[in-house]
Amino acid sequence: MTPLGDILAAQIAAEGPMRLDRYMSVCLLHPEHGYYATRDPFGRAGDFITAPEISQMFGEMLGLCLAQAWLDQGRPTPFILAEAGPGRGTLMADMLRAMKAVRGMVDAAEVHLIEASPTLREIQKQKLAPHQVVWHETIDDLPDTPLFLVANEFLDALPIRQFQRVEQGWAERQIGLSDEGALTPGLAPPTRFEALEPRMADTVPGNVVETCAAAVSFTERLAARIARQGGAALLIDYGNWHSKGDTFQALKAHEPVDPFATPGEADLTAHVDFEPLAQAAHRVGAKVSAMTAQGLLLERLGITARAQRLAQALSGAARETHIAAHRRLTHPEEMGHLFQALALVAPNAPLPPGFDPNTD
């Protein structure tokens, strides 16, 4: 058992089983033993690799996508250029470099990062020098200024609840202790959950449904800001539309591991359900795109032409790595279809390039 595991076991022994969302939150953000508070998890030496670390093209395409949205909304000056969950700062650095091609944009941008980890803040500071960067704990701390934001692999780390359909209603997944004192998942007694009543129509006993109140709240607050003060947001993550199935997982050294074996030492995530996010954004007045596969979005934004241009200066192993990176980002059998994107804009603004209207 890890030090955090001992803390959790003692708490469960004293207070009873713990909900999954609470477990995720403590494992990822405990100030002393939490996963993100204690390490740089990115890259080959870490536990996973995100799209910005695979190729500069990912950030360049998203940067130009936001740049066109900025132009379409009349070049607001100044504006907030923000990222939620910015990792090492690689995505923001690549977006800023691409935005230099748009006259006046970088000068008008005020860079803000939503980041809770002190370790990652230091890495971001070095990566984004000499830009002036302001850090925040939550989206609520951002200034009331037109907001252009990207969140890549941010929502998947927000804590979820899991419910298993049973004959009598729904049984929520909780974390308890085995006879040997190990952290063990189990089910709470069945009950009725009003919010899940609509899901009785499309599930059968044994099916699992996940909810993420934190992701819905984040999207609602983000969309309300954009509807009120202008701007755009790009939300990119692995997931789908209309949650069904157990997607809770843990990664350590790029391999799937037991989520309950080493608390605080493995990344915990779940697939994002984009349907309630789109509903929340629409509810507060933002215009919402259709959910779009990452590969299709990047192709529409011109990644293949960019890849071909970059390839002209490469040869040998570097060229092969570059080609593999393009495939990994776009191919349906790799990240191209697993990852999805949603765009939010001010109600009277056009959608960013690459996105179709939401017709649901």
Side-chain angles (χ1 to χ4, degrees), residues 54-255:
I54 292 171
S55 171
Q56 69 185 66
M57 296 184 293
F58 182 78
E60 290 171 347
M61 295 300 103
L62 297 189
L64 293 176
C65 181
L66 282 182
Q68 186 60 55
W70 180 71
L71 292 172
D72 289 341
Q73 295 187 40
R75 302 173 178 259
T77 303
F79 73 95
I80 301 300
L81 178 62
E83 183 176 358
R88 288 175 168 169
T90 303
L91 175 55
M92 180 59 74
D94 291 339
M95 289 198 305
L96 285 165
R97 186 179 62 254
M99 288 173 177
K100 288 180 180 179
V102 180
R103 181 175 56 85
M105 186 173 188
V106 173
D107 290 337
E110 298 177 359
V111 180
H112 292 247
L113 302 180
I114 300 169
E115 176 62 70
S117 167
T119 300
L120 292 176
R121 285 190 181 194
E122 284 301 315
I123 296 171
Q124 294 154 12
K125 182 178 181 179
Q126 296 173 23
K127 184 73 174 181
L128 292 169
H131 295 283
Q132 297 296 316
V133 179
V134 182
W135 283 268
H136 304 281
E137 292 284 336
T138 73
I139 190 174
D140 300 318
D141 300 328
L142 292 173
D144 289 327
T145 306
L147 172 62
F148 292 78
L149 177 144
V150 64
N152 178 65
E153 290 199 58
F154 168 73
L155 298 170
D156 63 87
L158 297 180
I160 64 163
R161 297 173 71 180
Q162 282 188 334
F163 301 88
Q164 183 171 317
R165 171 85 182 272
V166 294
E167 293 293 346
Q168 305 93 326
W170 299 90
E172 184 166 9
R173 193 179 194 187
Q174 295 181 323
I175 317 305
L177 298 176
S178 69
D179 292 340
E180 294 76 28
L183 299 175
T184 304
L187 295 176
T191 187
R192 308 291 292 191
F193 288 90
E194 183 177 351
L196 292 177
E197 286 301 312
R199 300 306 307 270
M200 300 294 283
D202 69 334
T203 58
V204 297
N207 286 164
V208 173
V209 170
E210 298 172 341
T211 66
C212 186
V216 172
S217 175
F218 172 86
T219 305
E220 186 172 66
R221 288 177 288 152
L222 169 64
R225 280 176 166 268
I226 288 174
R228 182 178 70 249
Q229 63 200 29
L234 309 179
L235 309 180
I236 306 119
D237 229 307
Y238 55 91
N240 217 310
W241 194 267
H242 203 62
S243 165
K244 187 184 287 187
D246 179 0
T247 72
F248 181 55
Q249 61 186 345
L251 279 180
K252 188 173 183 180
H254 303 273
E255 296 292 336

